[in-house]
Amino acid sequence: ELSKRDVIGYIAVDFVSVRQEDGTYKHWAIEVNVRMGGTTLPIMTLNLLCQDGVFNAGTSEFIASDGYPRYYIASDTLRKPSYKGLLIEDLLAIIKRHSTEIEWNQRPGAPETGVIFHLVTLLSELGKCGVMCVGRSRDEAEELFQRVKEILDQECEVGEAEMSLVIEGDSADMLS
């Protein structure tokens, strides 16, 4: 219907899903927005990084260059006060130190998987960034997400004496 009205490009559809008594879900589309949505960045990123990968619209799977699907978990709000002050150079050093665990396409035996960071310029002032964790299964993507949070927490660990200097909550946002 939208193409008949000359709508071209990305759309985002918001759904409400309600679990039924039998454990299945019923889905209702409640809004159509003519813009990029929350899944646009991950799909565009996979298209860019997986050289011969393709999104299969019939199955809603992204098929990587090796012919197998990739799964992702993404967030644009990975945030902690202890991440404040982290520079892009620091983040790159952290990624290199843990390269075989999280770096894109550097994990042994796991091509076209890993962690992609975005919104990294927000780290230094707000202690916030975004991540997209890509695995060969849903479980692997979830494990990567948990591991990258552990690594950042470990690398940005703040001692108790230093913790009193960290401003938390809305007041921190007002200062920036």
Side-chain angles (χ1 to χ4, degrees), residues 71-87:
Y71 301 84
Y72 70 86
I73 292 177
S75 173
D76 61 0
T77 310
L78 195 56
R79 183 178 189 170
K80 282 202 173 173
S82 60
Y83 300 168
K84 286 184 184 181
L86 195 65
L87 301 175

Side-chain angles (χ1 to χ4, degrees), residues 48-59:
L48 177 69
L49 295 177
C50 295
Q51 294 177 358
D52 296 318
V54 63
F55 180 73
N56 182 328
T59 63

Side-chain angles (χ1 to χ4, degrees), residues 76-137:
D76 61 0
T77 310
L78 195 56
R79 183 178 189 170
K80 282 202 173 173
S82 60
Y83 300 168
K84 286 184 184 181
L86 195 65
L87 301 175
I88 293 171
E89 295 83 3
D90 300 326
L91 179 61
L92 292 173
I94 291 169
I95 293 167
K96 281 293 177 200
R97 276 194 294 280
H98 300 274
S99 179
T100 60
E101 291 183 85
I102 64 171
E103 188 175 355
W104 179 260
N105 222 19
Q106 297 300 312
R107 301 173 63 237
E112 296 180 336
T113 67
V115 179
I116 298 99
F117 289 86
H118 58 97
L119 300 172
V120 295
T121 56
L122 299 176
L123 276 169
S124 62
E125 284 192 51
L126 300 179
K128 170 185 170 172
C129 69
V131 294
M132 179 176 138
C133 302
V134 180
R136 295 164 293 173
S137 68

